[in-house]
Amino acid sequence: MTARPLVSVFSLTGDKTGEVTLPMVMTSPLRPDLIQFVHTNMNKNKRQAYAVNIHASKKVVAQSWGTGRAVARIPRVGGGGTSRSGQGAFGNMCRGGRMYNPSKTWRRWTRKTNLKQKQQAVASALAASAVPSLVMARGHLIDQVPELPLVLENALEESTTKTSAAKTILQAVGALADVEKAAESKQIRCGKGKMRNRRYTLRRGPLVIYKSKEGGVEQAFRNLPGVELCCVDRLNLLQLAPGGHMGRFILWSQAAVEALDKMYGSEVGQKRLPVSCLTNADIARIINSDEVQSIVKPVKPGQFDFAPKRNAVKNTDALEVLDPYAAAKRRQQAELEAARATKKDELRLKKREERQARRAQHKEEGQAFFAKVSAQGDVCADGFKIE
Amino acid sequence: MKTPESVLKKEATQAKVAADKAAAEKAAEEKAVADTEKFKENSEKYDKEYEAEVRGAIENRRKAKASGGFYVPPEPKLALVIRIRGTIGVSPKAKKVMQLFRLRQLHNATFVKLNEATIRMLRLIEPYVTYGYPTRATVQKLIYKRGFGKLNKQRIPIADNTIVEKGLGEHGICCTADLVHEIYTVGPNFKQANNFLWPFKLSSPKGGFSRKTKLLHYLEGGEAGARAEEINKLVKRML
């Protein structure tokens, strides 16, 4: 990471006035998982305790009636003269009873996170803020912004005191779209939050990071909807990655950017710079490199699909595959059978014709005899004589 | 712009792979053609052998009759054993023997080489099986219709001679005709050939078993035990 790119510094009117080297932090590895983890923990730290009254439902003298009285065994309010007497008490299922597992104020509301994790998360979030695609993905409108990270000259924090001036600066630098988006998004919150002093919700706009607030930069920018301010010495992950999503749109002052390089480093008193576990992230190139390909085994031939079984006893084509000689023999036999069969058919037909001819002949002869004998008359008159 | 080195390298390796594959395919094709010729020759040779055997037996019988003597055909070397009783309540010895014969399921059938030892084993499992001497046609039909080979411990259908070659190529048995011949004539590699064949899974016999009860010995009107040549009729109904 020796040659780092230069980042342009813009004047308050939007023209490039100088350059600054990209701080080391902004080349940190991007760790969305770590940021989400640290953010969930940090987000719990500003919580106020809530609990039910410790005496809730306890101000009753109630005892179970026991068995034998045709009622459930829940403790019941004693005494008489009021509808409350005899009613169930103390259970979470009873009306006016204590809730299940009453909430306590000594619930663990805050979370500790390891310092290293917190520092790495902030470094990662800063790195993400320098990637335009991530910032856009988070939802900021940065189409008109000339460069990310967006660094403005020191006059931003030294001589900006009026909000109108702040607005023109944002306009000149192309950041006003994001602010307007936040302004338009102001809605009454849904849910009970609106009656609990959280009436409106708003999108987050740009985050302005400065080195010193002596010049009045806070007063200038704080009233613009969605704009947040942060001193570079006290970077807050909850602002750098709102909702656990990295890529906040940040407006830096030159002094702040230069301070980052002094804040992060390996000397005593400096914040840790996270180290990536990958030095070369081009996985495709690694896989296709000679070093890897030379020892990689060849591609496996894959599943061998065996041919489906066909019955070679019945199917001669199947037999052909297994035993072509036997198949040829079988086909030959079949042809002979067929030939024999046709010959047999011929013979049969011939015999039938002969039989039919004979039958016809017999019938004729019979009819002729009958006619002759009928003409004769009584055949048995003289002892059966046919003329 | 020059093409990147990595692209060139990848193209080169892919071309080599394709060339190798094409060469392998061509070699396989040529081998298949050569094999078909060889298998045809083998099959014809075996056919003649079987015919000669049948003719020889007939001639011997005639000669013996003519000279007033007797022709004693050689003792059978091959038996087909079919399991006809299920797995519940089998005595331990019989269970073990049937496991050794690979008859673990009802209507499973295997070929068994007949020698002193195996004959004694068959005696132990007589009430659970029926066995006899299969004809060449029976052996053939069993392998054609119900033949599965054991490849890599898997039960693969013998739909192609390549299956037989894969399983038994090193013993010189490359096609189905070779396999049938080895089994029927109980050749020197019978053990390997028989073990390559997965136990046949036959259907229940069409027309049913004996009307009396199949549990009795065949000689008593049942189905169990030795039944010599009659096994072929049963197999025809169970195939």
Side-chain angles (χ1 to χ4, degrees):
Chain A
M1 309 270 195
T2 42
R4 268 182 286 135
L6 291 169
V7 181
S8 319
V9 178
F10 293 91
S11 74
L12 299 185
T13 47
D15 312 308
K16 179 170 170 181
T17 49
E19 277 175 345
V20 126
T21 9
L22 186 76
M24 269 296 253
V25 209
M26 300 218 172
T27 55
S28 314
L30 300 171
R31 289 287 307 275
D33 61 312
L34 182 65
I35 289 175
Q36 190 180 36
F37 173 74
V38 174
H39 177 90
T40 13
N41 284 352
M42 282 179 75
N43 216 11
K44 296 177 182 168
N45 293 344
K46 205 174 167 207
R47 292 199 288 180
Q48 290 185 345
Y50 62 83
V52 290
N53 192 336
I54 42 170
H55 299 298
S57 91
K58 296 242 183 86
K59 298 182 185 162
V60 186
V61 181
Q63 262 218 301
S64 173
W65 290 356
T67 52
R69 292 179 62 174
V71 289
R73 293 178 275 174
I74 191 82
R76 291 176 186 276
V77 178
T82 170
S83 38
R84 182 73 177 124
S85 47
Q87 286 182 345
F90 290 160
N92 55 317
M93 60 283 220
C94 299
R95 181 176 179 275
R98 139 210 50 78
M99 66 178 266
Y100 163 73
N101 197 7
S103 41
K104 300 281 191 246
T105 51
W106 54 82
R107 180 188 297 205
R108 186 169 68 110
W109 301 103
T110 57
R111 293 287 181 276
K112 270 174 73 173
T113 321
N114 298 340
L115 185 64
K116 211 191 255 186
Q117 284 178 324
K118 287 193 283 195
Q119 286 180 357
Q120 282 209 12
V122 167
S124 197
L126 286 173
S129 76
V131 181
S133 39
L134 289 177
V135 177
M136 282 172 85
R138 219 205 136 265
H140 295 289
L141 301 180
I142 50 166
D143 291 325
Q144 305 305 320
V145 170
E147 189 174 330
L148 269 192
L150 183 59
V151 185
L152 297 177
E153 59 181 353
N154 286 331
L156 174 77
E157 60 178 46
E158 285 162 5
S159 55
T160 323
T161 44
K162 303 286 281 176
T163 308
S164 49
K167 211 165 155 204
T168 21
I169 294 171
L170 291 174
Q171 170 84 357
V173 140
L176 200 60
D178 209 27
V179 176
E180 281 170 356
K181 171 182 136 214
E184 276 164 23
S185 71
K186 187 165 183 184
Q187 297 271 23
I188 294 183
R189 186 187 292 266
C190 61
K192 288 277 188 332
K194 59 168 126 10
M195 354 166 161
R196 296 179 180 171
N197 308 325
R198 289 170 252 135
R199 192 154 180 89
Y200 295 101
T201 55
L202 202 52
R203 295 293 83 76
R204 306 263 202 148
L207 175 67
V208 179
I209 302 186
Y210 55 84
K211 181 79 180 103
S212 121
K213 67 176 181 191
E214 300 300 311
V217 65
E218 287 223 330
Q219 281 85 333
F221 281 92
R222 70 185 177 194
N223 205 28
L224 291 165
V227 178
E228 284 175 359
L229 288 129
C230 192
C231 175
V232 79
D233 298 321
R234 293 177 290 279
L235 289 168
N236 186 357
L237 183 72
L238 299 176
Q239 287 182 324
L240 293 174
H245 301 128
M246 55 187 186
R248 182 80 189 264
F249 176 33
I250 303 179
L251 235 76
W252 298 91
S253 73
Q254 193 176 358
V257 170
E258 286 162 355
L260 277 182
D261 255 334
K262 296 198 190 68
M263 273 170 61
Y264 283 88
S266 41
E267 290 167 33
V268 176
Q270 288 191 312
K271 297 201 167 106
R272 282 176 257 254
L273 271 175
V275 174
S276 173
C277 36
L278 281 180
T279 46
N280 178 8
D282 192 348
I283 308 284
R285 185 141 170 224
I286 293 172
I287 291 172
N288 287 322
S289 68
D290 283 336
E291 293 92 327
V292 171
Q293 289 293 321
S294 58
I295 55 169
V296 142
K297 287 192 197 158
V299 176
K300 268 199 194 157
Q303 281 278 48
F304 184 76
D305 261 332
F306 294 106
K309 185 163 181 62
R310 292 188 297 167
N311 185 4
V313 173
K314 282 215 179 139
N315 187 344
T316 321
D317 286 333
L319 184 60
E320 178 91 51
V321 178
L322 290 178
D323 192 347
Y325 175 76
K329 207 165 117 179
R330 195 190 280 182
R331 287 210 177 90
Q332 212 185 29
Q333 302 274 41
E335 280 172 17
L336 283 174
E337 283 285 332
R340 224 180 290 147
T342 48
K343 207 159 160 235
K344 224 164 142 185
D345 278 341
E346 280 174 25
L347 281 171
R348 194 155 31 97
L349 281 172
K350 200 164 106 186
K351 279 201 179 146
R352 185 186 291 170
E353 280 175 18
E354 286 176 4
R355 198 179 345 122
Q356 282 174 342
R358 259 182 297 158
R359 255 210 222 131
Q361 191 197 9
H362 286 161
K363 197 163 183 184
E364 261 187 58
E365 290 176 357
Q367 280 177 341
F369 175 75
F370 185 71
K372 184 166 137 208
V373 164
S374 311
Q376 183 181 309
D378 193 355
V379 175
C380 299
D382 262 329
F384 197 72
K385 240 206 245 146
I386 304 171
E387 278 135 33
Chain B
M1 196 179 79
K2 270 177 74 184
T3 43
E5 190 70 29
S6 55
V7 171
L8 290 173
K9 277 192 187 158
K10 185 138 183 141
E11 280 180 2
T13 46
Q14 296 289 62
K16 184 168 181 297
V17 165
D20 283 344
K21 187 155 168 242
E25 278 182 2
K26 188 156 175 286
E29 253 189 65
E30 289 172 2
K31 180 169 181 289
V33 169
D35 274 348
T36 325
E37 279 308 309
K38 190 171 81 157
F39 297 161
K40 275 202 191 138
E41 280 174 28
N42 281 355
S43 192
E44 202 174 341
K45 183 176 72 174
Y46 298 142
D47 246 20
K48 291 204 172 77
E49 223 182 88
Y50 301 141
E51 264 234 54
E53 190 195 328
V54 171
R55 292 274 131 222
I58 294 171
E59 267 184 40
N60 282 328
R61 278 205 294 276
R62 288 184 181 157
K63 250 198 286 183
K65 203 164 176 199
S67 63
F70 299 97
Y71 171 63
V72 181
E75 298 237 342
K77 291 182 282 184
L78 179 70
L80 174 71
V81 189
I82 308 179
R83 182 168 181 159
I84 53 167
R85 284 187 73 171
T87 46
I88 316 274
V90 181
S91 53
K93 222 174 220 168
K95 195 159 131 181
K96 182 63 178 177
V97 173
M98 282 195 282
Q99 273 178 18
L100 295 172
F101 278 144
R102 300 187 295 159
L103 300 168
R104 283 178 187 262
Q105 199 181 28
L106 186 60
H107 302 324
N108 271 8
T110 51
F111 291 114
V112 170
K113 173 164 56 178
L114 286 175
N115 52 37
E116 277 276 353
T118 54
I119 291 171
R120 282 179 198 273
M121 285 165 85
L122 286 169
R123 217 172 284 156
L124 281 173
I125 56 172
E126 257 185 6
Y128 302 93
V129 301
T130 181
Y131 58 96
Y133 317 130
T135 57
R136 180 209 54 109
T138 305
V139 174
Q140 215 169 48
K141 286 204 183 102
L142 278 170
I143 292 178
Y144 283 168
K145 187 166 180 195
R146 303 271 180 174
F148 285 73
K150 183 165 60 170
L151 284 182
N152 200 19
K153 297 197 192 167
Q154 292 178 335
R155 181 174 181 253
I156 309 295
I158 301 177
D160 210 335
N161 285 324
T162 53
I163 311 292
V164 180
E165 176 147 21
K166 272 206 180 91
L168 296 168
E170 56 183 343
H171 300 291
I173 303 171
C174 303
C175 65
T176 319
D178 288 340
L179 179 60
V180 169
H181 179 256
E182 190 69 28
I183 298 284
Y184 179 63
T185 56
V186 189
N189 292 312
F190 175 84
K191 181 187 164 66
Q192 285 79 7
N194 192 25
N195 197 266
F196 166 74
L197 282 174
W198 201 277
F200 301 107
K201 293 180 190 267
L202 302 175
S203 309
S204 21
K206 200 153 77 159
F209 279 119
S210 128
R211 220 167 281 271
K212 207 168 185 179
T213 167
K214 82 170 182 203
L215 307 178
L216 297 175
H217 196 282
Y218 186 70
L219 301 168
E220 299 175 293
E223 299 286 341
R227 62 166 79 190
E229 261 72 30
E230 297 296 304
I231 195 76
N232 296 294
K233 293 199 187 130
L234 180 63
V235 170
K236 191 158 177 209
R237 292 191 295 133
M238 288 176 87
L239 196 60

